[in-house]
């Protein structure tokens, strides 16, 4: 094809080599424009364009084509390496998710589930496939749903990479509940993730042990009744509540004489 100087050369023109560009102010002189595509598996990735004056024209077509062919092979090698690395990273990620004792979840800004790691079955007795596409709030005890929504709103309000931590009671498939600690991370602006990432851990046993330790600290191990430490703690809290107020508190102490004889004679249970 022949084009005047300054005339736009389209993609269709570029694929037709050579293109002759005539300059009106140079008399009969012209410029030859060669464009050779760079291909990877017959898919065009770009062009090499070469121009020179017809007065010094040389047959460079074969050299340019060879260069483009070598560039195509180089690009294919790079892309093959990147694909292998991507597949390796995906396998590593899947392996980590399968062996992780934490539940990893990806949710949209609305809370709709995009991904659940396999640990959801061990934690909640559910299959990840059945929950994808559902609102995350379906897994939360209704009384704690507002807490989850507040956390989700806060992590979005604080922006990219912001984290929010909190606890909610989650519902298992059998209807029982578990106390779960969740760290939310805002990665909505990350093009590779485009979601809010939830890392969740079942802390039910920890809370149960914590409650047992609290009971042991404030109750007598034999009778189960409140002990001196519990009494001091409660009096302290009562004093704090009345500090700076008109109201006051009083402590009534009743001493049962020889009560020890009852415990020793007919047992602590009767006492």
């Amino acid at each position: 094809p022949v084009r005047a100087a300054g005339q736009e050369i389209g993609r269709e023109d570029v694929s037709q080599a050579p293109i002759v560009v005539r300059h009106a102010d140079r008399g009969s002189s012209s410029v030859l424009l060669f464009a050779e595509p760079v291909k990877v598996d017959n898919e065009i990735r770009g062009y090499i364009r070469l121009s020179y004056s017809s007065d010094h024209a040389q047959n460079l077509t074969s050299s340019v084509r060879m260069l483009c062919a070598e560039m195509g092979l180089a690009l294919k090698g790079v892309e093959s390496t990147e694909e292998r690395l991507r597949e390796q990273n995906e396998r590593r990620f899947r392996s980590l998710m399968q062996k992780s004792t934490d539940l990893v979840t990806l949710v949209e800004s609305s809370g709709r589930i995009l991904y659940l790691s396999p640990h959801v079955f061990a934690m909640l007795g559910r299959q990840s496939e059945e929950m994808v596409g559902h609102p995350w709030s379906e897994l939360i005890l209704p009384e704690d749903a507002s807490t989850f929504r507040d956390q989700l709103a806060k992590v979005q309000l604080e922006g990219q990479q912001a984290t929010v931590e909190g606890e909610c009671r989650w519902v298992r498939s059998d209807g029982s509940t578990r106390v779960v600690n969740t760290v939310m991370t805002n990665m909505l602006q990350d093009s590779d993730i485009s979601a809010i990432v939830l890392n969740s851990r079942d802390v039910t046993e920890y809370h149960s042990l914590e409650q047992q330790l609290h009971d042991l600290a404030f109750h007598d191990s034999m009778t189960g009744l409140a002990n001196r430490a519990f009494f001091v703690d409660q009096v302290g809290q009562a004093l704090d509540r009345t500090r700076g107020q008109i109201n006051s508190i009083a402590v009534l102490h009743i001493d049962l004489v020889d009560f020890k004889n009852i415990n020793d004679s007919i047992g602590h249970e009767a006492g």
Side-chain angles (χ1 to χ4, degrees):
V2 179
R3 297 289 183 268
Q7 183 178 358
E8 181 179 354
I9 300 177
R11 188 183 182 114
E12 298 78 9
D13 297 328
V14 172
S15 61
Q16 305 178 52
I19 300 172
V20 180
V21 181
R22 298 196 180 281
H23 294 265
D25 57 347
R26 296 184 185 175
S28 60
S29 64
S30 62
V31 172
L32 297 181
L33 176 63
F34 282 90
E36 184 68 24
V38 178
K39 298 181 180 180
V40 175
D41 293 333
N42 294 322
E43 181 181 345
I44 296 177
R45 300 297 177 84
Y47 291 91
I48 287 184
R49 287 184 278 187
L50 178 66
S51 60
Y52 53 87
S53 171
S54 60
D55 297 334
H56 305 87
Q58 301 178 25
N59 185 14
L60 299 177
T61 304
S62 59
S63 299
V64 172
R65 286 177 177 169
M66 184 178 296
L67 176 60
C68 289
E70 292 177 356
M71 289 181 65
L73 291 174
L75 281 173
K76 184 175 182 179
V78 170
E79 292 176 358
S80 298
T81 301
E82 291 178 346
E83 181 64 24
R84 285 196 300 272
L85 290 174
R86 184 162 50 250
E87 292 176 352
Q88 182 181 8
N89 289 335
E90 288 177 355
R91 289 194 300 269
R92 184 181 293 116
F93 175 78
R94 285 194 297 269
S95 178
L96 288 173
M97 289 301 98
Q98 289 172 354
K99 294 176 174 60
S100 175
T101 56
D102 287 356
L103 174 61
V104 179
T105 313
L106 304 183
V107 300
E108 293 179 339
S109 57
S110 63
R112 189 174 71 92
I113 299 172
L114 300 175
Y115 169 81
L116 277 168
S117 64
H119 188 63
V120 68
F121 183 77
M123 183 183 290
L124 301 177
R126 302 175 185 270
Q127 298 292 344
S128 57
E129 296 81 4
E130 71 182 59
M131 294 308 304
V132 172
H134 288 253
W136 184 252
S137 57
E138 290 185 4
L139 298 176
I140 308 296
L141 195 69
E143 293 86 341
D144 292 355
S146 60
T147 301
F148 171 79
R149 288 193 294 268
D150 291 344
Q151 293 172 359
L152 192 64
K154 183 178 180 182
V155 78
Q156 294 181 67
L157 184 64
E158 294 185 358
Q160 178 70 2
Q161 297 295 330
T163 59
V164 174
E165 183 174 358
E167 291 184 359
C168 291
R169 289 169 293 175
W170 293 11
V171 183
R172 287 179 51 86
S173 58
D174 60 5
S176 62
T177 60
R178 308 295 292 178
V179 181
V180 178
N181 176 274
T182 299
V183 177
M184 298 183 182
T185 304
N186 185 343
M187 303 193 73
L188 290 169
Q189 303 304 317
D190 189 318
S191 58
D192 294 326
I193 299 178
S194 301
I196 297 174
V197 181
L198 281 62
N199 289 278
S200 305
R201 175 170 295 183
D202 189 337
V203 293
T204 306
E205 301 304 326
Y206 170 80
H207 277 267
S208 177
L209 178 60
E210 188 178 47
Q211 184 60 46
Q212 291 178 32
L213 293 175
H214 180 274
D215 291 341
L216 288 173
F218 290 104
H219 294 80
D220 183 81
S221 58
M222 182 176 294
T223 65
L225 298 175
N227 59 15
R228 182 187 300 272
F230 181 82
F231 170 76
V232 173
D233 178 73
Q234 293 298 303
V235 171
Q237 292 185 37
L239 290 172
D240 290 339
R241 288 194 298 269
T242 59
R243 185 171 287 115
Q245 299 181 8
I246 299 177
N247 297 331
S248 60
I249 65 168
V251 176
L252 177 63
H253 177 238
I254 300 177
D255 186 14
L256 300 179
V257 180
D258 293 332
F259 188 76
K260 181 176 181 296
N261 293 333
I262 298 176
N263 290 333
D264 292 342
S265 60
I266 61 177
H268 285 277
E269 184 175 350

